[in-house]
Amino acid sequence: MPPYTNYHAQRSYPMPDEPFCTELSAEQQALKEKEKGSWTQLSHAEKVALYRLQFHETFTEMNRRSNEWKTVMGCVFFFFGFTGLLIWWQRVYVFPKKPITLMDEWKAQQLQRILDMKGNPVQGLASRWDYERKEWKK
């Protein structure tokens, strides 16, 4: 692997200021000298090697999808599950039982008490209750 320089290439700025490889081996220097001649004499492998001396990745390699989304989604689902377990644990072991005023029987008795007292007979619950038939008005 060649030593890193201030090389920085990205999709929005694909032509970096410096080449990817700055310190060249003897074989790479010979290839650079051959580059100064006619490009028709270069083989495909030599052209690729010259490209790799100048650039780290091709556009196809820059644009390829990464699998990072799998890690992100795994972490998101892990924390959703952990949060769900924490909430369940709090409901079972930390929070007190429901007060009696939140039970269905108590609510039904409270509603019956309001109706028996004819509370708010003009616009409230008592105005919507039929006292003769003992059912809600339609």
Side-chain angles (χ1 to χ4, degrees):
M1 196 71 189
Y4 290 107
T5 60
N6 290 334
Y7 180 85
H8 183 71
Q10 55 190 10
R11 282 181 272 179
S12 60
Y13 184 69
M15 304 297 273
D17 296 332
E18 296 182 9
F20 179 63
C21 295
T22 53
E23 297 178 12
L24 304 176
S25 66
E27 182 182 311
Q28 291 171 336
Q29 287 176 347
L31 188 59
K32 283 295 246 184
E33 288 298 320
K34 193 175 179 183
E35 174 189 23
K36 294 177 184 174
S38 175
W39 275 65
T40 57
Q41 296 173 352
L42 293 173
S43 68
H44 180 70
E46 290 173 332
K47 290 178 185 176
V48 170
L50 283 171
Y51 183 87
R52 292 293 181 181
L53 290 177
Q54 190 68 28
F55 304 106
H56 179 61
E57 294 178 315
T58 63
F59 275 104
T60 306
E61 292 169 347
M62 273 192 234
N63 293 331
R64 76 172 171 254
R65 292 183 173 196
S66 69
N67 288 331
E68 184 180 8
W69 69 272
K70 294 177 185 176
T71 304
V72 171
M73 291 304 292
C75 290
V76 166
F77 287 133
F78 172 78
F79 284 113
F80 278 161
F82 180 75
T83 303
L85 285 174
L86 186 65
I87 290 171
W88 171 80
W89 179 80
Q90 287 178 342
R91 284 191 178 185
V92 171
Y93 296 106
V94 177
F95 296 141
K97 295 192 189 275
K98 281 185 177 181
I100 194 169
T101 55
L102 293 179
M103 303 220 177
D104 290 335
E105 289 179 16
W106 183 275
K107 289 179 184 178
Q109 290 173 354
Q110 186 69 17
L111 177 62
Q112 188 60 48
R113 182 173 175 263
I114 291 170
L115 292 174
D116 290 344
M117 291 174 46
K118 296 185 181 178
N120 204 357
V122 177
Q123 293 180 345
L125 285 173
S127 67
R128 293 185 221 122
W129 181 255
D130 188 354
Y131 286 95
E132 295 172 1
R133 290 188 281 175
K134 304 278 186 193
E135 61 183 28
W136 294 104
K137 292 178 182 176
K138 296 181 180 160

PDB file of all heavy atoms in Angstrom, residues 113-136:
ATOM      1  N   ARG A 113     -73.634   7.736  39.189  1.00  0.00           N
ATOM      2  CA  ARG A 113     -73.809   8.739  40.251  1.00  0.00           C
ATOM      3  C   ARG A 113     -74.087  10.114  39.656  1.00  0.00           C
ATOM      4  O   ARG A 113     -74.967  10.839  40.124  1.00  0.00           O
ATOM      5  CB  ARG A 113     -72.554   8.778  41.119  1.00  0.00           C
ATOM      6  CG  ARG A 113     -72.636   9.731  42.265  1.00  0.00           C
ATOM      7  CD  ARG A 113     -71.411   9.574  43.182  1.00  0.00           C
ATOM      8  NE  ARG A 113     -71.436  10.574  44.212  1.00  0.00           N
ATOM      9  CZ  ARG A 113     -70.776  11.728  44.163  1.00  0.00           C
ATOM     10  NH1 ARG A 113     -70.031  12.006  43.123  1.00  0.00           N
ATOM     11  NH2 ARG A 113     -70.844  12.582  45.153  1.00  0.00           N
ATOM     12  N   ILE A 114     -73.346  10.469  38.585  1.00  0.00           N
ATOM     13  CA  ILE A 114     -73.568  11.758  37.925  1.00  0.00           C
ATOM     14  C   ILE A 114     -74.968  11.812  37.330  1.00  0.00           C
ATOM     15  O   ILE A 114     -75.675  12.825  37.440  1.00  0.00           O
ATOM     16  CB  ILE A 114     -72.494  12.010  36.845  1.00  0.00           C
ATOM     17  CG1 ILE A 114     -71.132  12.241  37.499  1.00  0.00           C
ATOM     18  CG2 ILE A 114     -72.850  13.199  35.969  1.00  0.00           C
ATOM     19  CD1 ILE A 114     -69.978  12.261  36.521  1.00  0.00           C
ATOM     20  N   LEU A 115     -75.383  10.709  36.703  1.00  0.00           N
ATOM     21  CA  LEU A 115     -76.724  10.670  36.100  1.00  0.00           C
ATOM     22  C   LEU A 115     -77.818  10.729  37.170  1.00  0.00           C
ATOM     23  O   LEU A 115     -78.847  11.389  36.984  1.00  0.00           O
ATOM     24  CB  LEU A 115     -76.881   9.416  35.248  1.00  0.00           C
ATOM     25  CG  LEU A 115     -76.016   9.365  33.979  1.00  0.00           C
ATOM     26  CD1 LEU A 115     -76.161   8.016  33.306  1.00  0.00           C
ATOM     27  CD2 LEU A 115     -76.365  10.492  33.032  1.00  0.00           C
ATOM     28  N   ASP A 116     -77.608  10.025  38.307  1.00  0.00           N
ATOM     29  CA  ASP A 116     -78.597  10.037  39.384  1.00  0.00           C
ATOM     30  C   ASP A 116     -78.743  11.430  39.997  1.00  0.00           C
ATOM     31  O   ASP A 116     -79.834  11.831  40.392  1.00  0.00           O
ATOM     32  CB  ASP A 116     -78.223   9.039  40.478  1.00  0.00           C
ATOM     33  CG  ASP A 116     -78.369   7.598  40.012  1.00  0.00           C
ATOM     34  OD1 ASP A 116     -79.041   7.387  38.974  1.00  0.00           O
ATOM     35  OD2 ASP A 116     -77.797   6.708  40.660  1.00  0.00           O
ATOM     36  N   MET A 117     -77.649  12.155  40.050  1.00  0.00           N
ATOM     37  CA  MET A 117     -77.695  13.497  40.625  1.00  0.00           C
ATOM     38  C   MET A 117     -78.161  14.530  39.606  1.00  0.00           C
ATOM     39  O   MET A 117     -78.322  15.705  39.941  1.00  0.00           O
ATOM     40  CB  MET A 117     -76.304  13.893  41.144  1.00  0.00           C
ATOM     41  CG  MET A 117     -75.874  13.089  42.348  1.00  0.00           C
ATOM     42  SD  MET A 117     -74.183  13.389  42.881  1.00  0.00           S
ATOM     43  CE  MET A 117     -74.035  15.123  42.882  1.00  0.00           C
ATOM     44  N   LYS A 118     -78.369  14.084  38.360  1.00  0.00           N
ATOM     45  CA  LYS A 118     -78.786  14.962  37.260  1.00  0.00           C
ATOM     46  C   LYS A 118     -77.820  16.139  37.140  1.00  0.00           C
ATOM     47  O   LYS A 118     -78.205  17.298  37.049  1.00  0.00           O
ATOM     48  CB  LYS A 118     -80.216  15.450  37.443  1.00  0.00           C
ATOM     49  CG  LYS A 118     -81.208  14.329  37.393  1.00  0.00           C
ATOM     50  CD  LYS A 118     -82.612  14.833  37.450  1.00  0.00           C
ATOM     51  CE  LYS A 118     -83.547  13.612  37.407  1.00  0.00           C
ATOM     52  NZ  LYS A 118     -84.929  13.998  37.503  1.00  0.00           N
ATOM     53  N   GLY A 119     -76.553  15.800  37.119  1.00  0.00           N
ATOM     54  CA  GLY A 119     -75.506  16.820  37.012  1.00  0.00           C
ATOM     55  C   GLY A 119     -75.425  17.412  35.619  1.00  0.00           C
ATOM     56  O   GLY A 119     -75.388  16.700  34.634  1.00  0.00           O
ATOM     57  N   ASN A 120     -75.426  18.742  35.547  1.00  0.00           N
ATOM     58  CA  ASN A 120     -75.318  19.495  34.305  1.00  0.00           C
ATOM     59  C   ASN A 120     -76.411  19.079  33.316  1.00  0.00           C
ATOM     60  O   ASN A 120     -76.123  18.574  32.232  1.00  0.00           O
ATOM     61  CB  ASN A 120     -73.928  19.297  33.699  1.00  0.00           C
ATOM     62  CG  ASN A 120     -73.522  20.430  32.791  1.00  0.00           C
ATOM     63  OD1 ASN A 120     -74.302  21.358  32.558  1.00  0.00           O
ATOM     64  ND2 ASN A 120     -72.303  20.361  32.286  1.00  0.00           N
ATOM     65  N   PRO A 121     -77.683  19.301  33.665  1.00  0.00           N
ATOM     66  CA  PRO A 121     -78.789  18.799  32.847  1.00  0.00           C
ATOM     67  C   PRO A 121     -79.022  19.561  31.549  1.00  0.00           C
ATOM     68  O   PRO A 121     -79.770  19.100  30.700  1.00  0.00           O
ATOM     69  CB  PRO A 121     -79.994  18.941  33.769  1.00  0.00           C
ATOM     70  CG  PRO A 121     -79.647  20.073  34.654  1.00  0.00           C
ATOM     71  CD  PRO A 121     -78.158  19.992  34.859  1.00  0.00           C
ATOM     72  N   VAL A 122     -78.387  20.726  31.356  1.00  0.00           N
ATOM     73  CA  VAL A 122     -78.649  21.512  30.158  1.00  0.00           C
ATOM     74  C   VAL A 122     -77.771  21.049  28.996  1.00  0.00           C
ATOM     75  O   VAL A 122     -78.253  20.773  27.904  1.00  0.00           O
ATOM     76  CB  VAL A 122     -78.438  23.018  30.435  1.00  0.00           C
ATOM     77  CG1 VAL A 122     -78.643  23.840  29.178  1.00  0.00           C
ATOM     78  CG2 VAL A 122     -79.369  23.484  31.536  1.00  0.00           C
ATOM     79  N   GLN A 123     -76.463  20.953  29.219  1.00  0.00           N
ATOM     80  CA  GLN A 123     -75.562  20.591  28.128  1.00  0.00           C
ATOM     81  C   GLN A 123     -74.664  19.395  28.457  1.00  0.00           C
ATOM     82  O   GLN A 123     -73.937  18.920  27.593  1.00  0.00           O
ATOM     83  CB  GLN A 123     -74.653  21.776  27.775  1.00  0.00           C
ATOM     84  CG  GLN A 123     -75.403  22.936  27.180  1.00  0.00           C
ATOM     85  CD  GLN A 123     -74.469  24.086  26.852  1.00  0.00           C
ATOM     86  OE1 GLN A 123     -73.342  24.114  27.306  1.00  0.00           O
ATOM     87  NE2 GLN A 123     -74.959  25.033  26.071  1.00  0.00           N
ATOM     88  N   GLY A 124     -74.667  18.915  29.643  1.00  0.00           N
ATOM     89  CA  GLY A 124     -73.749  17.861  30.048  1.00  0.00           C
ATOM     90  C   GLY A 124     -74.266  16.470  29.791  1.00  0.00           C
ATOM     91  O   GLY A 124     -75.112  16.228  28.927  1.00  0.00           O
ATOM     92  N   LEU A 125     -73.778  15.516  30.586  1.00  0.00           N
ATOM     93  CA  LEU A 125     -74.163  14.113  30.424  1.00  0.00           C
ATOM     94  C   LEU A 125     -75.650  13.893  30.672  1.00  0.00           C
ATOM     95  O   LEU A 125     -76.295  13.117  29.976  1.00  0.00           O
ATOM     96  CB  LEU A 125     -73.353  13.238  31.384  1.00  0.00           C
ATOM     97  CG  LEU A 125     -71.896  12.999  31.002  1.00  0.00           C
ATOM     98  CD1 LEU A 125     -71.190  12.269  32.126  1.00  0.00           C
ATOM     99  CD2 LEU A 125     -71.805  12.204  29.731  1.00  0.00           C
ATOM    100  N   ALA A 126     -76.188  14.574  31.670  1.00  0.00           N
ATOM    101  CA  ALA A 126     -77.592  14.364  32.028  1.00  0.00           C
ATOM    102  C   ALA A 126     -78.537  14.796  30.914  1.00  0.00           C
ATOM    103  O   ALA A 126     -79.640  14.272  30.795  1.00  0.00           O
ATOM    104  CB  ALA A 126     -77.918  15.108  33.312  1.00  0.00           C
ATOM    105  N   SER A 127     -78.100  15.714  30.064  1.00  0.00           N
ATOM    106  CA  SER A 127     -78.967  16.153  28.964  1.00  0.00           C
ATOM    107  C   SER A 127     -79.048  15.094  27.868  1.00  0.00           C
ATOM    108  O   SER A 127     -79.980  15.107  27.073  1.00  0.00           O
ATOM    109  CB  SER A 127     -78.448  17.472  28.380  1.00  0.00           C
ATOM    110  OG  SER A 127     -77.194  17.262  27.741  1.00  0.00           O
ATOM    111  N   ARG A 128     -78.099  14.184  27.834  1.00  0.00           N
ATOM    112  CA  ARG A 128     -78.103  13.141  26.801  1.00  0.00           C
ATOM    113  C   ARG A 128     -78.662  11.803  27.315  1.00  0.00           C
ATOM    114  O   ARG A 128     -78.644  10.813  26.606  1.00  0.00           O
ATOM    115  CB  ARG A 128     -76.670  12.928  26.280  1.00  0.00           C
ATOM    116  CG  ARG A 128     -76.157  14.129  25.526  1.00  0.00           C
ATOM    117  CD  ARG A 128     -74.790  13.861  24.910  1.00  0.00           C
ATOM    118  NE  ARG A 128     -73.998  15.082  25.102  1.00  0.00           N
ATOM    119  CZ  ARG A 128     -72.858  15.150  25.734  1.00  0.00           C
ATOM    120  NH1 ARG A 128     -72.321  14.070  26.237  1.00  0.00           N
ATOM    121  NH2 ARG A 128     -72.239  16.287  25.875  1.00  0.00           N
ATOM    122  N   TRP A 129     -79.131  11.763  28.527  1.00  0.00           N
ATOM    123  CA  TRP A 129     -79.640  10.535  29.137  1.00  0.00           C
ATOM    124  C   TRP A 129     -81.155  10.581  29.209  1.00  0.00           C
ATOM    125  O   TRP A 129     -81.745  11.559  29.641  1.00  0.00           O
ATOM    126  CB  TRP A 129     -79.047  10.383  30.531  1.00  0.00           C
ATOM    127  CG  TRP A 129     -79.458   9.154  31.266  1.00  0.00           C
ATOM    128  CD1 TRP A 129     -80.358   9.090  32.290  1.00  0.00           C
ATOM    129  CD2 TRP A 129     -79.008   7.829  31.057  1.00  0.00           C
ATOM    130  NE1 TRP A 129     -80.486   7.818  32.731  1.00  0.00           N
ATOM    131  CE2 TRP A 129     -79.669   7.009  31.994  1.00  0.00           C
ATOM    132  CE3 TRP A 129     -78.120   7.236  30.184  1.00  0.00           C
ATOM    133  CZ2 TRP A 129     -79.460   5.637  32.067  1.00  0.00           C
ATOM    134  CZ3 TRP A 129     -77.901   5.877  30.256  1.00  0.00           C
ATOM    135  CH2 TRP A 129     -78.570   5.093  31.185  1.00  0.00           C
ATOM    136  N   ASP A 130     -81.784   9.514  28.772  1.00  0.00           N
ATOM    137  CA  ASP A 130     -83.241   9.424  28.837  1.00  0.00           C
ATOM    138  C   ASP A 130     -83.583   8.737  30.157  1.00  0.00           C
ATOM    139  O   ASP A 130     -83.349   7.532  30.323  1.00  0.00           O
ATOM    140  CB  ASP A 130     -83.780   8.631  27.646  1.00  0.00           C
ATOM    141  CG  ASP A 130     -85.293   8.675  27.562  1.00  0.00           C
ATOM    142  OD1 ASP A 130     -85.921   9.222  28.493  1.00  0.00           O
ATOM    143  OD2 ASP A 130     -85.826   8.165  26.563  1.00  0.00           O
ATOM    144  N   TYR A 131     -84.136   9.481  31.114  1.00  0.00           N
ATOM    145  CA  TYR A 131     -84.408   8.966  32.451  1.00  0.00           C
ATOM    146  C   TYR A 131     -85.596   8.019  32.478  1.00  0.00           C
ATOM    147  O   TYR A 131     -85.687   7.174  33.367  1.00  0.00           O
ATOM    148  CB  TYR A 131     -84.623  10.122  33.431  1.00  0.00           C
ATOM    149  CG  TYR A 131     -83.327  10.820  33.780  1.00  0.00           C
ATOM    150  CD1 TYR A 131     -82.913  11.952  33.096  1.00  0.00           C
ATOM    151  CD2 TYR A 131     -82.517  10.329  34.789  1.00  0.00           C
ATOM    152  CE1 TYR A 131     -81.722  12.576  33.401  1.00  0.00           C
ATOM    153  CE2 TYR A 131     -81.332  10.951  35.107  1.00  0.00           C
ATOM    154  CZ  TYR A 131     -80.933  12.068  34.413  1.00  0.00           C
ATOM    155  OH  TYR A 131     -79.760  12.676  34.722  1.00  0.00           O
ATOM    156  N   GLU A 132     -86.513   8.143  31.513  1.00  0.00           N
ATOM    157  CA  GLU A 132     -87.682   7.262  31.507  1.00  0.00           C
ATOM    158  C   GLU A 132     -87.334   5.873  30.982  1.00  0.00           C
ATOM    159  O   GLU A 132     -87.790   4.865  31.519  1.00  0.00           O
ATOM    160  CB  GLU A 132     -88.796   7.884  30.660  1.00  0.00           C
ATOM    161  CG  GLU A 132     -89.340   9.171  31.242  1.00  0.00           C
ATOM    162  CD  GLU A 132     -90.294   9.878  30.294  1.00  0.00           C
ATOM    163  OE1 GLU A 132     -90.542   9.357  29.183  1.00  0.00           O
ATOM    164  OE2 GLU A 132     -90.772  10.957  30.670  1.00  0.00           O
ATOM    165  N   ARG A 133     -86.542   5.808  29.908  1.00  0.00           N
ATOM    166  CA  ARG A 133     -86.196   4.506  29.312  1.00  0.00           C
ATOM    167  C   ARG A 133     -84.857   3.967  29.833  1.00  0.00           C
ATOM    168  O   ARG A 133     -84.459   2.858  29.482  1.00  0.00           O
ATOM    169  CB  ARG A 133     -86.134   4.635  27.793  1.00  0.00           C
ATOM    170  CG  ARG A 133     -87.511   4.852  27.171  1.00  0.00           C
ATOM    171  CD  ARG A 133     -87.474   4.779  25.693  1.00  0.00           C
ATOM    172  NE  ARG A 133     -86.947   6.060  25.180  1.00  0.00           N
ATOM    173  CZ  ARG A 133     -86.685   6.339  23.914  1.00  0.00           C
ATOM    174  NH1 ARG A 133     -86.853   5.404  23.019  1.00  0.00           N
ATOM    175  NH2 ARG A 133     -86.245   7.503  23.563  1.00  0.00           N
ATOM    176  N   LYS A 134     -84.135   4.753  30.610  1.00  0.00           N
ATOM    177  CA  LYS A 134     -82.842   4.369  31.187  1.00  0.00           C
ATOM    178  C   LYS A 134     -81.818   4.003  30.106  1.00  0.00           C
ATOM    179  O   LYS A 134     -81.159   2.959  30.172  1.00  0.00           O
ATOM    180  CB  LYS A 134     -82.981   3.191  32.161  1.00  0.00           C
ATOM    181  CG  LYS A 134     -83.940   3.402  33.261  1.00  0.00           C
ATOM    182  CD  LYS A 134     -83.306   4.171  34.364  1.00  0.00           C
ATOM    183  CE  LYS A 134     -84.298   4.233  35.528  1.00  0.00           C
ATOM    184  NZ  LYS A 134     -83.918   5.170  36.499  1.00  0.00           N
ATOM    185  N   GLU A 135     -81.685   4.867  29.094  1.00  0.00           N
ATOM    186  CA  GLU A 135     -80.697   4.650  28.026  1.00  0.00           C
ATOM    187  C   GLU A 135     -80.312   6.014  27.450  1.00  0.00           C
ATOM    188  O   GLU A 135     -80.966   7.014  27.698  1.00  0.00           O
ATOM    189  CB  GLU A 135     -81.255   3.732  26.928  1.00  0.00           C
ATOM    190  CG  GLU A 135     -82.478   4.275  26.232  1.00  0.00           C
ATOM    191  CD  GLU A 135     -83.044   3.314  25.212  1.00  0.00           C
ATOM    192  OE1 GLU A 135     -82.870   2.105  25.366  1.00  0.00           O
ATOM    193  OE2 GLU A 135     -83.661   3.801  24.265  1.00  0.00           O
ATOM    194  N   TRP A 136     -79.237   6.002  26.668  1.00  0.00           N
ATOM    195  CA  TRP A 136     -78.755   7.242  26.061  1.00  0.00           C
ATOM    196  C   TRP A 136     -79.697   7.659  24.936  1.00  0.00           C
ATOM    197  O   TRP A 136     -80.193   6.836  24.195  1.00  0.00           O
ATOM    198  CB  TRP A 136     -77.338   7.060  25.493  1.00  0.00           C
ATOM    199  CG  TRP A 136     -76.319   6.799  26.572  1.00  0.00           C
ATOM    200  CD1 TRP A 136     -75.758   5.626  26.876  1.00  0.00           C
ATOM    201  CD2 TRP A 136     -75.794   7.755  27.484  1.00  0.00           C
ATOM    202  NE1 TRP A 136     -74.894   5.759  27.921  1.00  0.00           N
ATOM    203  CE2 TRP A 136     -74.891   7.068  28.336  1.00  0.00           C
ATOM    204  CE3 TRP A 136     -76.002   9.114  27.709  1.00  0.00           C
ATOM    205  CZ2 TRP A 136     -74.192   7.690  29.338  1.00  0.00           C
ATOM    206  CZ3 TRP A 136     -75.280   9.731  28.716  1.00  0.00           C
ATOM    207  CH2 TRP A 136     -74.400   9.021  29.528  1.00  0.00           C
TER     208      TRP A 136
END
